[in-house]
Amino acid sequence: MIGKTGGHDDTIVAIATAPGVGAIAVIRLSGPEAIQITDKLFPAKQLAEQPGHTLHFGSLQQYGRVIDEVVVSLYRAPKSYTGEEVVEISCHGSPYIQQQILEACITSGARMARPGEFTQRAFLNGKLDLTQAESVADLIASNTAASHQTAMQQMRGGFSRELFALREQLIKFSALIELELDFSQEDVEFADRSALYTLVNEALAEVERLVQSFKAGNVIKNGVNTAIIGRPNAGKSTLLNTLLNENRAIVSDIAGTTRDTIEEVLNIGGILFRLIDTAGIRESTDTIESIGVQKSLEKMREAGIVLYLFDVSELSVDELLAQVREFDKEGLQFMLVGNKADVLGFEEARAKFSLVPGVIFISAKEHGHIDELKEKLVAHVIGGAINTENTIITNVRHYAALQEVYAALRDVKNGMDNRLPGDLLALDIRRSLHFLADIAGEVTNEDRLDYIFSKFCIGK
């Protein structure tokens, strides 16, 4: 078991900017020899004598050969991202120049950084807790306003503060209950059971909220596969084109035009929907079309949500109810979308399918009620409005640990309901504290840390 024991004793280097050609690239060094190694390559100034948080312009050289004109940024320990001596070399963005500088730093005593090693050192040196460190990777990967805001909220310590406040209160009660064990012969209670009961109920409500937020958090972070399913000529390709505002799929009156799946990504309200336009589901003797139908069924079962699109004029109420039973049998998340309602008439369509709850009526061709469909789609996958100012769980590791915390707190509450002795209550409180500490990385092992940080990009 390890906590924040401090960083490593060697100096690491990596290219911190994205690969490829650009105007500027940044090479980052961190470790006890970062400044001395750069000094060997930067004759313009004695960097070791310069204060931290300063910039220095000059040529970077090796063996008397000028590699590039650069700007060197100095960050002295502990006031740096990693808590160590850090140097960032801003050079021209030629991949050749980047590689030459990287090789010069390695020749001068640095070693190549592993993926996520800069952030891992920041964690080990107490600059970030583990939840904040993990949010760095989420921030880099964010591609919508919602995923960006959620990652920023966690990186700034919003989640950490909630965990800290909860732990502090539980630790206080745990200490008092365990103190009672030293006076077990005198039958005294130092911990106010009513106050503990109130605390546990409040903690349960907060942990439950965090656990429930994972449904929205997972969608915000990863998006959701959305399969558009229906019979041939229900208007699936037209709906895809309408949602994307472009002619991405071929539209034809000939049934079975779509032979393969077409996938596109659409951002609706900060959520990424990977829309999958599938071949129409029907019996077919055409070999290629049959393969397309089979792929459609596979995509339907893999999707996070299924949009079942049907022609309101052609499908009967009994057929739609049979389809709903089939979806329920498969355990699928689905939405029923009645298309071509402008042809039959929206009021007539609603009256026809009044026995089937939750149907959304649209006209994909005429863009009728498409905004309503988008709103219902977002609400369906996240279960309500997104408030990124609140803590939203996006990490599977946090979600699993919070489920353990919730189970432990439930046991504490049940124990008090059944008037269990203090030693048994203390065990369950300690169990909840253990998993809270595990989330923040205060109790973990080195192999697990290596796994977590290995998923970061090199240079971060």
Side-chain angles (χ1 to χ4, degrees):
M1 307 291 279
I2 65 171
K4 299 176 183 178
T5 57
H8 302 277
D9 58 2
D10 56 353
T11 298
I12 56 176
V13 64
I15 299 171
T17 42
V21 179
I24 295 174
V26 175
I27 287 84
R28 175 184 288 158
L29 298 97
S30 180
E33 302 297 319
I35 295 175
Q36 288 84 338
I37 288 170
T38 311
D39 248 339
K40 297 176 186 177
L41 308 171
F42 192 75
K45 196 175 291 185
Q46 286 294 309
L47 297 174
E49 298 175 0
Q50 307 305 316
H53 296 84
T54 55
L55 303 177
H56 307 276
F57 173 77
S59 62
L60 205 73
Q61 304 179 22
Q62 188 179 36
Y63 309 131
R65 178 178 68 93
V66 175
I67 301 174
D68 193 16
E69 288 190 334
V70 302
V71 174
V72 174
S73 307
L74 293 186
Y75 303 93
R76 291 193 174 273
K79 295 181 178 181
S80 71
Y81 177 69
T82 63
E84 303 175 327
E85 302 283 279
V86 170
V87 173
E88 291 184 351
I89 302 170
S90 300
C91 64
H92 292 95
S94 156
Y96 174 78
I97 291 174
Q98 296 176 53
Q99 197 60 38
Q100 289 294 300
I101 295 175
L102 194 64
E103 290 177 6
C105 291
I106 292 172
T107 302
S108 299
R111 70 163 172 84
M112 190 67 188
R114 297 186 297 272
E117 192 169 2
F118 291 100
T119 305
Q120 185 173 8
R121 290 189 175 199
F123 164 72
L124 292 171
N125 288 321
K127 304 296 288 187
L128 303 167
D129 68 23
L130 196 53
T131 62
Q132 292 173 298
E134 288 170 304
S135 69
V136 171
D138 291 343
L139 186 63
I140 293 170
S142 63
N143 49 13
T144 67
S147 59
H148 168 264
Q149 186 62 32
T150 301
M152 283 297 297
Q153 203 270 353
Q154 291 204 13
M155 194 174 75
R156 289 173 176 166
F159 185 30
S160 302
R161 285 191 293 272
E162 291 190 36
L163 294 181
F164 180 79
L166 179 57
R167 285 190 65 217
E168 285 294 295
Q169 294 180 75
L170 288 174
I171 286 171
K172 180 182 73 173
F173 277 101
S174 178
L176 290 174
I177 287 176
E178 293 189 24
L179 184 61
E180 291 174 4
L181 302 181
D182 295 333
F183 296 87
S184 57
Q185 301 299 321
E186 301 176 29
D187 193 27
V188 295
E189 286 189 354
F190 293 107
D192 183 339
R193 292 297 193 271
S194 62
L196 177 57
Y197 200 83
T198 299
L199 169 64
V200 170
N201 278 328
E202 291 174 352
L204 278 169
E206 179 59 17
V207 173
E208 183 177 23
R209 184 193 69 76
L210 291 171
V211 168
Q212 294 298 324
S213 75
F214 180 71
K215 178 185 177 182
N218 190 47
V219 168
I220 290 170
K221 181 178 178 179
N222 300 313
V224 58
N225 289 335
T226 307
I228 305 174
I229 299 291
R231 294 181 177 182
N233 267 12
K236 298 182 295 300
S237 297
T238 303
L239 177 59
L240 178 70
N241 290 338
T242 298
L243 289 170
L244 296 173
N245 284 320
E246 63 177 86
N247 293 323
R248 175 63 180 85
I250 298 172
V251 177
S252 168
D253 291 331
I254 302 171
T257 303
T258 304
R259 299 297 186 92
D260 202 352
T261 58
I262 300 172
E263 300 188 18
E264 290 290 338
V265 176
L266 177 66
N267 184 338
I268 307 176
I271 305 297
L272 290 183
F273 290 88
R274 284 180 288 277
L275 300 173
I276 307 165
D277 177 21
T278 64
I281 299 176
R282 67 170 178 175
E283 295 292 332
S284 176
T285 57
D286 184 302
T287 303
I288 295 176
E289 186 182 352
S290 296
I291 293 171
V293 171
Q294 191 59 42
K295 283 189 175 182
S296 296
L297 295 172
E298 290 173 4
K299 291 293 184 181
M300 179 183 76
R301 295 185 180 100
E302 294 170 359
I305 184 170
V306 171
L307 288 185
Y308 182 69
L309 194 71
F310 63 94
D311 185 330
V312 295
S313 298
E314 293 188 359
L315 200 71
S316 70
V317 175
D318 288 340
E319 287 174 317
L320 183 57
L321 288 171
Q323 186 62 65
V324 168
R325 287 193 293 271
E326 187 64 28
F327 286 148
D328 287 337
K329 181 180 175 183
E330 293 269 356
L332 300 175
Q333 292 289 319
F334 63 91
M335 290 174 60
L336 304 175
V337 184
N339 191 26
K340 306 182 185 179
D342 57 318
V343 178
L344 180 63
F346 280 91
E347 290 304 318
E348 290 80 358
R350 291 188 185 96
K352 178 179 177 180
F353 294 98
S354 60
L355 295 177
V356 187
V359 180
I360 302 166
F361 296 97
I362 67 165
S363 170
K365 185 177 181 180
E366 301 298 329
H367 294 224
H369 294 249
I370 296 300
D371 287 341
E372 179 190 353
L373 173 60
K374 290 180 178 180
E375 290 172 8
K376 293 285 180 64
L377 194 55
V378 171
H380 191 94
V381 298
I382 66 171
I386 301 173
N387 183 358
T388 50
E389 294 303 315
N390 293 332
T391 299
I392 298 175
I393 302 303
T394 61
N395 186 298
V396 175
R397 187 182 71 84
H398 302 167
Y399 174 66
L402 284 168
Q403 287 181 307
E404 296 288 352
V405 173
Y406 186 82
L409 290 174
R410 286 287 304 176
D411 289 341
V412 174
K413 182 178 178 181
N414 291 337
M416 287 190 291
D417 287 338
N418 295 310
R419 303 189 64 80
L420 291 182
D423 55 342
L424 296 180
L425 293 178
L427 285 174
D428 290 325
I429 294 176
R430 280 201 297 268
R431 183 156 58 96
S432 65
L433 288 170
H434 169 81
F435 286 107
L436 286 171
D438 184 52
I439 294 172
E442 295 183 21
V443 180
T444 188
N445 60 68
E446 194 165 351
D447 288 340
R448 191 175 189 187
L449 287 179
D450 288 342
Y451 171 74
I452 289 171
F453 287 103
S454 69
K455 295 183 286 184
F456 284 54
C457 57
I458 293 176
K460 195 62 182 178

